[in-house]
């Protein structure tokens, strides 16, 4: 397999073509942004840690019946993935209140929600990734009704699986964002699952082990990612 031209550069990752039209390389950068890139920085070795964590999580989800784009880990910062057409919505699940839920609805941070809250946001930085409902997603032609139902079904399963996965590492999954793509007519999990895209609190202490350390200037940012990596890989 040969690495070819750069296809796309995002805030945290770069996609490269390969000599196989169905496969691309997802390269993880150290760049970090928050609040729609109003806040920018770098976190030393974040790309290496997020690649390793994402690979482990995708392997676990794949082994438990969730179709994902992961083919294999290629190197420290590179993951070989299926070339999908990304559905331009961010899918969020919240188990406890944090972040924008607290800001938008005046809820106390940490409040346990009586059932998981499922959200769609429009993946569009120019419009600040606005919250949208299923009618927006279908009506704007971003996904079909059938795809919306499939994304919801898969996301609920991913939540149950990831809650268990992290709890076994003494980490509580507070919320997360995932993205889906279309591959040969099927909806599959794409992008990444890492401390950039999940809120992860240590059980008992409530210590934040995720990108909120960067968003909120809590300090020891790299150490949070390292702690998650250590627990996820057992090293
Ligand atoms: P929020 O509380 O800021 O809406 O974030 C909810 C979850 O989604 C949290 O785990 C962080 C993640 N997230 C992303 O991965 N990318 C984003 O652009 C945003 C806004 C949130
Ligand atoms: N990654 C997003 C951004 O740049 C936000 C976030 O994760 O908080 O703006």
């Amino acid at each position: 397999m040969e690495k070819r031209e750069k296809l796309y550069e995002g805030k945290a990752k770069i996609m490269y073509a390969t000599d196989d039209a169905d496969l691309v390389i997802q390269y993880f950068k150290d760049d970090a942004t928050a609040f729609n890139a109003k806040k920018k920085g770098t976190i030393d070795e974040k790309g290496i840690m997020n690649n390793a964590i994402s690979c482990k999580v995708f392997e676990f989800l794949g082994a438990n019946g969730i179709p994902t784009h992961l083919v294999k880990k290629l190197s420290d910062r590179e993951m070989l993935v299926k070339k999908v057409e990304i559905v331009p919505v961010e899918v969020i699940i919240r188990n406890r209140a944090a972040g924008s839920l607290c800001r938008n609805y005046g809820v106390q941070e940490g409040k346990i929600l009586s059932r998981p809250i499922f959200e769609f946001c429009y993946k569009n930085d120019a419009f600040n990734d606005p919250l949208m409902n299923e009618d927006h997603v279908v009506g704007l032609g971003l996904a079909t009704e059938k795809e919306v139902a499939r994304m919801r079904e898969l996301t609920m399963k991913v939540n149950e699986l990831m809650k268990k996965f992290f709890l076994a590492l003494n980490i509580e999954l507070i919320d997360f964002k995932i993205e889906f793509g279309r591959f040969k007519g099927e909806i599959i999990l794409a992008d990444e699952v890492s401390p950039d895209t999940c809120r992860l609190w240590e059980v008992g202490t409530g210590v934040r082990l995720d990108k909120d350390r960067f968003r909120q200037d809590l300090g020891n940012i790299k150490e949070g990612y390292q702690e998650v990596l250590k627990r996820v890989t057992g090293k």
Side-chain angles (χ1 to χ4, degrees):
M1 207 265 316
E2 209 179 283
K3 187 171 176 181
R4 297 241 169 113
E5 77 277 8
K6 187 198 274 194
L7 295 173
Y8 171 79
E9 178 157 4
K11 288 179 284 190
K13 298 185 292 297
I14 307 174
M15 308 303 293
Y16 294 94
T18 70
D19 54 357
D20 183 331
D22 285 335
L23 302 179
V24 289
I25 293 171
Q26 176 163 265
Y27 175 96
F28 287 75
K29 303 192 283 183
D30 288 346
D31 297 346
T33 61
F35 312 114
N36 246 321
K38 281 188 204 84
K39 180 176 177 133
K40 287 190 179 130
T42 57
I43 300 167
D44 181 43
E45 297 196 338
K46 174 170 82 78
I48 296 172
M49 298 187 278
N50 280 1
N51 185 33
I53 294 165
S54 281
C55 283
K56 284 284 177 198
V57 174
F58 283 145
E59 277 165 18
F60 165 77
L61 293 173
N64 284 280
I66 306 292
T68 84
H69 71 160
L70 174 69
V71 177
K72 66 174 177 180
K73 186 170 189 270
L74 285 180
S75 69
D76 269 4
R77 290 178 182 272
E78 291 170 320
M79 184 191 281
L80 184 65
V81 298
K82 292 174 179 162
K83 185 177 186 182
V84 300
E85 179 195 357
I86 286 284
V87 179
V89 295
E90 301 194 337
V91 184
I92 293 167
I93 284 271
R94 302 175 188 277
N95 296 305
R96 277 192 199 243
S100 67
L101 190 81
C102 300
R103 286 198 302 277
N104 293 339
Y105 301 95
V107 185
Q108 181 76 34
E109 187 183 48
K111 182 184 161 68
I112 296 176
L113 304 166
S114 57
R115 66 174 203 188
I117 296 180
F118 178 99
E119 294 176 354
F120 281 118
C121 289
Y122 188 22
K123 189 174 153 61
N124 190 324
D125 281 344
F127 294 94
N128 271 318
D129 295 352
L131 190 61
M132 53 185 2
N133 67 27
E134 297 192 3
D135 285 1
H136 290 99
V137 178
V138 177
L140 293 174
L142 305 180
T144 64
E145 213 163 295
K146 202 172 147 209
E147 287 175 330
V148 165
R150 182 66 174 151
M151 288 193 282
R152 179 185 271 275
E153 181 197 359
L154 287 173
T155 303
M156 291 312 211
K157 283 189 189 154
V158 167
N159 187 38
E160 289 312 311
L161 287 166
M162 291 214 304
K163 273 199 296 192
K164 285 195 198 113
F165 176 86
F166 283 113
L167 206 53
L169 308 173
N170 217 33
I171 293 172
E172 184 176 344
L173 179 63
I174 303 304
D175 60 27
F176 62 90
K177 182 270 304 182
I178 51 179
E179 295 180 25
F180 290 97
R182 301 180 183 97
F183 184 76
K184 298 184 192 285
E186 200 199 346
I187 287 285
I188 67 174
L189 186 60
D191 194 53
E192 67 175 288
V193 175
S194 72
D196 272 12
T197 62
C198 301
R199 283 198 175 88
L200 303 168
W201 295 2
E202 186 175 56
V203 173
T205 64
V207 167
R208 274 53 169 172
L209 297 172
D210 57 68
K211 195 175 158 190
D212 270 351
R213 289 192 183 192
F214 170 77
R215 294 189 188 98
Q216 300 173 16
D217 298 314
L218 301 178
N220 295 321
I221 299 170
K222 181 180 179 182
E223 288 75 8
Y225 288 78
Q226 277 173 328
E227 186 59 36
V228 176
L229 176 68
K230 198 172 97 188
R231 295 188 194 197
V232 165
T233 60
K235 282 180 209 152

